[in-house]
Amino acid sequence: MLTKNFADARAAAFVGTLVAALLGRTVSSSEFADAAHSNAVQHCRELIRSCQLPDGLVRMRADGEHVRGVPYFANMAAVALLAACDGEHESPDVERVRRWLAWYAVHQKPDGTIHKYSGTVQSYAQTEKLDTTDTSASFYLLTLNLYRKAADDRRPLRRFGISADRAIEAVRSLVDPTDGLTWARPGNRNKYLMDNILVSVCMADAEELFESMGELRRAAQARQIRLGIMESI
């Protein structure tokens, strides 16, 4: 059972994303024939849904009026929802993910970074803390690509073209040319193995995303980042 002090969205997203990672694809309902597993996945989906605000933000907890928004974990929650859609293009969860992606695009800075948010349901604002840039920007691109596949429609990607460009530029700006690894965020000269592994995985989706958009230069940049990290690790 999930502990009370573990944020709802994070816990639910972790379960869903772990399932998706293990299976390497969307989750088929037949693979959750076991009632306990099926109930657990459904419970996690409901938790994530309850954490989304009307404007699209996925907050960390659905309790009360307090809002804490961490884009990295919101992307993880979105991926979990898509993983459990079972290929249903008309699933309401696909629309929920679109709303989250739209929120991210609006709140993303021109340099591709994005802040954490705090406040109440009625009024919240960005904090001074940047979300970890290499992973949040990369995870956003992965989420965009999975959304593209789940929605089975390329047209919505037109509205996310600018934010996708900003995200890949943010990641590129953090690559250390001496070893190909990424720094955590602007002004933070730390490199994390877990983060770089995630960036590498996300860049494979970013490459696919940009290829689908006809942005071959961007696709090549994503591939270069991925290969650089893999070679260094």
Side-chain angles (χ1 to χ4, degrees):
M1 175 176 280
L2 303 178
T3 57
K4 284 294 289 182
N5 63 351
F6 199 57
D8 290 347
R10 189 190 315 177
F14 176 78
V15 173
T17 307
L18 179 60
V19 168
L22 290 174
L23 295 176
R25 50 189 163 77
T26 56
V27 182
S28 170
S29 56
S30 63
E31 291 165 319
F32 285 112
D34 182 278
H37 289 170
S38 179
N39 290 339
V41 170
Q42 183 60 29
H43 179 62
C44 288
R45 293 172 77 178
E46 291 300 330
L47 280 176
I48 295 172
R49 291 165 179 165
S50 69
C51 289
Q52 188 169 38
L53 300 181
D55 66 356
L57 173 64
V58 181
R59 55 177 172 160
M60 294 294 288
R61 295 186 70 94
D63 296 337
E65 290 293 305
H66 179 67
V67 168
R68 181 181 172 224
V70 182
Y72 171 84
F73 289 115
N75 277 318
M76 186 182 291
V79 169
L81 286 180
L82 293 175
C85 279
D86 195 14
E88 301 172 12
H89 302 314
E90 302 301 322
S91 169
D93 285 336
V94 175
E95 172 60 18
R96 289 185 177 93
V97 172
R98 185 202 64 76
R99 287 168 46 219
W100 156 246
L101 292 170
W103 185 97
Y104 189 109
V106 169
H107 293 81
Q108 182 190 46
K109 301 302 180 184
D111 63 359
T113 60
I114 194 166
H115 285 250
K116 298 178 181 179
Y117 282 74
S118 183
T120 66
V121 172
Q122 299 301 320
S123 177
Y124 65 84
Q126 74 173 38
T127 69
E128 295 181 357
K129 294 183 178 179
L130 278 176
D131 203 9
T132 305
T133 302
D134 60 344
T135 51
S136 61
S138 297
F139 219 158
Y140 176 69
L141 292 171
L142 178 145
T143 308
L144 266 178
N145 193 44
L146 296 183
Y147 167 75
R148 174 184 68 86
K149 294 178 179 179
D152 194 31
D153 185 353
R154 294 184 180 182
R155 289 173 298 175
L157 285 178
R158 295 176 184 173
R159 75 188 71 178
F160 298 121
I162 293 176
S163 62
D165 279 345
R166 289 175 174 176
I168 191 68
E169 276 302 309
V171 179
R172 290 183 67 234
S173 72
L174 294 171
V175 174
D176 183 347
T178 65
D179 58 14
L181 299 177
T182 57
W183 304 105
R185 63 173 68 89
N188 182 337
R189 285 310 191 233
N190 288 304
K191 301 170 186 174
Y192 301 102
L193 176 60
M194 181 184 75
D195 289 4
N196 272 270
I197 292 173
L198 176 62
V199 171
S200 177
V201 170
C202 290
M203 285 301 103
D205 271 272
E207 180 180 355
E208 192 175 89
L209 171 69
F210 285 117
E211 285 179 346
S212 76
M213 298 168 67
E215 296 287 346
L216 300 186
R217 180 177 65 90
R218 290 300 196 191
Q221 291 171 342
R223 180 168 60 255
Q224 183 178 18
I225 295 171
R226 176 175 61 84
L227 293 177
I229 293 174
M230 291 176 62
E231 181 178 352
S232 187
I233 292 177

